[in-house]
């Protein structure tokens, strides 16, 4: 059996530094950038089950839903216009993350966050006051632009700020905010849907202005990362900042490595074209496959459409929204488990355990829905225990995702790219993520209509593939300083063929046996 996990724990490098209150608070504020993304994920699915909203903007869907009451449940929400409402945002996010790459690199991570907040605010404002479908779509495009900027910059910011031993935990603050955003949105939908007069959806959509303000203000008060300051020529300030962040005076070694990484980075004129070089093959592969796999877990079927899905399988509108709240709570709780475990148990363990858990649950849910709804989608009366079992397994599935692919889908890419390609590669990560979020959102209702319960088996198949991929191809990155990451590829049974020692003058070149050697810079 090859050494599939890559190097052992640690690199032999141990930069001094603590988890200072300063860095903790900074990371918490920055991580709140995930709120806008989460709020939107949670709000859109719920809003599309609100009858007044459907009647106003998507009347044909509402009429079909009314007419279909006792017929094929699998197809009652199948409408391209309705899915376009949800998914248009992701196309916008895809485009803006590419622009954000340049802003993040040239002007700093903070400015990208600021743009993210402002664009999202504008989108929320337009949506809250929408009078016609075009206003909804324009609003959603702006929200998407905002998310592209935020998701491009926040994970990088966190990984650069964090002391390497706590990088996993601090970075997952981003995912925690996403899940909190989703939960808040689900709870608000539940209450706003009850507002008499049927204008509650305006509050749901307009409410996005609050998380937008949080990231906007946050970005103004946050410091820049030392990596980014060095990259932009502010070397002395960067050193002082590093001392402040780490809470120690002895930052020489880390500082030297950051400067060296920046020198290498300056030699690169075209970060995009550069990504195609052979030595970046492992990075490029991960930048594409990790987000692709994250979306192919099928998680957003639950996140966007939990209310739709639950009402499809027989819950009343109100209890469907309530069940979405329950999965939301599980999502937050399991993310906290990940924060606790990621720097202890490592990334690979979480990926693999989460994969097995999701696979089992998807098979059970497919079997349950198949058994009751069969092929024609007409279940007759559903007993209560049945709904409870389905919700239970969906919750276990969500937990599996929330401590594996959810947070790690953002953490791992943000920590494996060398500085010279970091912004560009992160944009690829965000774009691919958004592309497949879009694809899943756009085709899910049609797939449910055609594949029926087999839809869950479709995603289960991908979960199997991605777990095998992680087992063989993803090296462990726990406890390795970010500018030292080159070594994980060099000692990997497969990726080592793509990278030469000279490729990583700043990446743990002279590794001793077992990954414990110390590099001399
Ligand atoms: C994913 C989202 C997903 C969310 C669920 C994130 O990591 O990128 O697509 O909706 O997790 O918590």
């Amino acid at each position: 059996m090859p050494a599939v996990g890559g190097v052992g724990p640690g690199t032999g490098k141990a930069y001094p530094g603590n988890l200072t209150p300063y860095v903790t608070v900074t990371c918490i504020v920055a991580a709140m950038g995930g709120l806008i993304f989460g709020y939107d994920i949670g709000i859109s699915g719920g809003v599309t089950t609100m009858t007044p909203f459907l009647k106003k903007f998507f009347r044909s869907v509402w009429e079909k839903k009314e007419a279909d009451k006792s017929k094929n449940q699998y197809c009652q929400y199948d409408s391209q216009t309705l899915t376009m409402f949800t998914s248009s945002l992701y196309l916008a996010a895809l485009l803006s993350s590419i622009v954000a790459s340049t802003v993040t690199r040239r002007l700093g991570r903070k400015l990208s966050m600021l743009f993210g907040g402002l664009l999202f605010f504008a989108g929320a404002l337009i949506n809250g006051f929408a009078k016609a479908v075009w206003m909804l779509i324009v609003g959603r495009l702006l929200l998407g632009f905002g998310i592209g900027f935020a998701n491009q910059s926040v994970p990088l910011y966190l990984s650069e700020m964090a002391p390497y031993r706590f990088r996993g935990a601090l970075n997952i603050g981003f995912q925690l905010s996403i899940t909190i955003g989703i939960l808040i949105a689900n709870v608000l939908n539940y209450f706003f849907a009850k507002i008499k007069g049927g204008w509650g959806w305006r509050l749901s959509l307009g409410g996005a202005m609050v998380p937008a303000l949080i990231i906007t203000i946050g970005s103004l008060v946050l410091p820049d990362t030392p990596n980014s300051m060095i990259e932009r020529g502010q070397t002395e300030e960067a050193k002082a900042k590093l001392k402040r962040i780490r809470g120690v005076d002895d930052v020489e070694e880390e500082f030297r490595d950051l400067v060296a990484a920046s020198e290498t980075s300056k030699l690169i004129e075209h970060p995009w074209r550069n990504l195609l070089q052979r030595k970046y093959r492992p990075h490029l592969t991960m930048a594409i496959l990790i987000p692709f796999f994250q979306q192919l877990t099928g998680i957003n079927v639950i996140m966007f459409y939990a209310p739709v899905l639950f009402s499809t399988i027989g819950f009343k509108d109100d209890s469907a929204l309530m069940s979405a709240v329950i999965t939301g709570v599980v999502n937050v709780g399991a993310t906290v488990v990940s924060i606790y475990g990621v720097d202890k148990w490592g990334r690979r363990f979480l990926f693999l355990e989460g994969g097995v858990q999701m696979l089992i649950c998807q098979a059970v849910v497919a079997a349950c829905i198949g058994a009751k709804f069969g092929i024609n989608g007409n279940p007759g009366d559903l007993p209560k225990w049945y709904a409870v079992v389905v919700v239970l397994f969906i919750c276990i599935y969500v937990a599996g995702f929330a401590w594996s692919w959810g947070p790690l889908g953002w953490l791992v890419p943000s920590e494996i790219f060398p500085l010279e390609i970091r912004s560009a590669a992160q944009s690829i990560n965000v774009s691919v993520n958004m592309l497949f979020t879009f694809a899943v959102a756009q085709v899910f209702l049609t797939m449910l209509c055609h594949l029926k319960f087999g839809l869950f088996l479709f995603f289960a198949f991908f979960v199997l593939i991605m777990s095998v991929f992680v087992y063989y191809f993803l090296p462990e990155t726990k406890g390795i300083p970010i500018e030292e990451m080159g070594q994980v590829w060099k000692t990997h049974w497969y990726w080592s063929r793509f990278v030469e020692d000279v490729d990583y003058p700043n990446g743990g070149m002279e590794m001793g046996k077992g990954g414990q050697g110390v590099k001399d810079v």
Side-chain angles (χ1 to χ4, degrees):
M1 179 54 64
V4 288
V7 295
T11 59
K13 279 225 168 180
Y15 302 133
N18 310 312
L19 188 60
T20 55
Y22 181 67
V23 83
T24 312
V25 173
T26 303
C27 286
I28 290 175
V29 174
M32 286 187 192
L35 283 177
I36 55 173
F37 184 36
Y39 186 86
D40 189 83
I41 293 169
I43 224 70
S44 17
V47 164
T48 51
T49 55
M50 292 183 190
T51 306
F53 178 81
L54 280 181
K55 266 166 111 175
K56 186 171 172 66
F57 296 109
F58 303 96
R59 207 174 173 87
S60 61
V61 181
W62 173 73
E63 282 164 1
K64 182 159 165 226
K65 185 177 164 219
E66 286 299 292
D68 261 8
K69 279 257 151 69
S70 62
K71 295 204 218 100
N72 187 347
Q73 297 285 315
Y74 289 127
C75 299
Q76 61 171 336
Y77 287 97
D78 182 13
S79 150
Q80 291 296 318
T81 345
L82 185 61
T83 39
M84 202 58 202
F85 166 73
T86 303
S87 56
S88 56
L89 177 148
Y90 294 92
L91 286 183
L94 189 168
L95 293 178
S96 78
S97 73
I98 296 171
V99 180
S101 158
T102 312
V103 176
T104 302
R105 186 161 46 93
R106 298 245 173 91
L107 307 173
R109 284 69 175 136
K110 275 176 54 152
L111 208 68
S112 283
M113 291 188 218
L114 178 65
F115 285 165
L118 292 175
L119 288 163
F120 198 84
F121 186 88
L125 193 71
I126 296 184
N127 269 351
F129 290 101
K131 295 219 174 320
V133 176
W134 72 263
M135 286 180 82
L136 282 183
I137 304 285
V138 170
R140 283 194 74 71
L141 292 178
L142 286 168
L143 295 177
F145 290 141
I147 290 179
F149 271 95
N151 286 17
Q152 205 275 342
S153 49
V154 174
L156 290 189
Y157 182 94
L158 292 169
S159 281
E160 290 181 346
M161 271 291 174
Y164 71 97
R165 279 170 297 142
F166 305 97
R167 189 178 60 238
L170 290 176
N171 182 291
I172 295 180
F174 176 64
Q175 175 73 9
L176 186 65
S177 298
I178 296 179
T179 59
I180 292 175
I182 297 176
L183 177 62
I184 293 175
N186 284 335
V187 172
L188 291 181
N189 269 343
Y190 180 73
F191 289 108
F192 291 160
K194 292 181 190 301
I195 290 182
K196 298 232 161 41
W199 51 272
W201 61 268
R202 289 196 186 277
L203 293 180
S204 295
L205 296 182
M209 284 187 280
V210 177
L213 279 180
I214 295 178
I215 174 175
T216 306
I217 296 170
S219 71
L220 293 173
V221 298
L222 286 172
D224 246 323
T225 69
N227 317 49
S228 173
M229 292 165 94
I230 297 172
E231 205 177 18
R232 288 176 292 128
Q234 305 163 357
T235 321
E236 280 315 304
E237 295 92 323
K239 191 170 194 175
K241 183 59 70 189
L242 192 61
K243 288 185 184 167
R244 173 98 205 274
I245 298 169
R246 299 286 175 254
V248 290
D249 275 338
D250 177 18
V251 293
E252 266 322 308
E253 192 181 15
E254 182 171 6
F255 183 70
R256 240 187 306 135
D257 286 353
L258 291 181
V259 173
S262 167
E263 303 283 295
T264 317
S265 162
K266 291 224 178 74
L267 301 176
I268 310 289
E269 278 176 31
H270 305 286
W272 292 100
R273 207 180 308 153
N274 220 51
L275 265 172
L276 296 175
Q277 289 178 21
R278 184 176 166 83
K279 63 178 172 177
Y280 297 124
R281 206 55 50 79
H283 311 85
L284 188 60
T285 310
M286 297 303 164
I288 294 172
L289 284 186
I290 291 181
F292 168 75
F293 283 143
Q294 191 205 49
Q295 290 308 316
L296 268 288
T297 55
I299 187 66
N300 281 324
V301 163
I302 309 294
M303 293 301 141
F304 296 146
Y305 299 117
V308 172
L309 192 70
F310 288 131
S311 83
T312 300
I313 59 179
F315 289 29
K316 301 228 163 50
D317 280 357
D318 181 75
S319 51
L321 281 180
M322 194 60 214
S323 317
V325 173
I326 296 173
T327 52
V329 171
V330 172
N331 196 13
V332 175
T335 307
V336 176
V337 173
S338 194
I339 291 185
Y340 173 81
V342 68
D343 293 314
K344 290 193 177 60
W345 311 322
R347 285 59 164 155
R348 284 169 53 82
F349 170 78
L350 287 172
F351 267 127
L352 295 172
E353 193 285 336
V356 172
Q357 189 169 326
M358 286 191 281
L359 191 65
I360 295 172
C361 293
Q362 281 162 326
V364 173
V365 171
C368 285
I369 298 187
K372 279 284 171 197
F373 286 77
I375 303 291
N376 62 14
N378 196 348
D381 276 343
L382 289 168
K384 202 167 179 78
W385 65 261
Y386 170 83
V388 172
V389 169
V390 173
V391 173
L392 181 72
F393 275 89
I394 288 186
C395 285
I396 304 177
Y397 160 83
V398 168
F401 174 87
W403 56 55
S404 63
W405 281 93
L408 303 179
W410 294 105
L411 166 64
V412 173
S414 77
E415 64 185 7
I416 59 173
F417 306 134
L419 185 64
E420 67 271 18
I421 56 161
R422 194 168 295 157
S423 282
Q426 172 69 355
S427 295
I428 297 199
N429 174 41
V430 178
S431 310
V432 174
N433 196 308
M434 296 302 144
L435 180 66
F436 286 95
T437 309
F438 165 79
V440 170
Q442 190 64 29
V443 301
F444 163 69
L445 292 175
T446 312
M447 279 171 82
L448 179 66
C449 182
H450 295 284
L451 289 181
K452 309 180 166 72
F453 59 86
L455 178 65
F456 295 91
L457 299 178
F458 169 85
F459 289 118
F461 168 76
F462 277 99
V463 171
L464 182 66
I465 305 273
M466 66 189 78
S467 301
V468 172
F469 174 82
V470 165
Y471 184 78
Y472 285 106
F473 295 101
L474 190 78
E476 181 58 65
T477 48
K478 159 187 115 172
I480 298 174
I482 192 167
E483 311 303 348
E484 292 285 303
M485 209 50 89
Q487 61 163 299
V488 302
W489 314 112
K490 264 185 290 182
T491 48
H492 190 271
W493 72 274
Y494 179 75
W495 298 118
S496 54
R497 70 197 67 186
F498 292 94
V499 290
E500 308 281 328
D501 275 357
V502 285
D503 288 337
Y504 290 95
N506 190 45
M509 230 167 68
E510 281 142 39
M511 294 295 303
K513 283 206 179 75
Q516 299 303 322
V518 181
K519 175 189 87 124
D520 202 7
V521 187

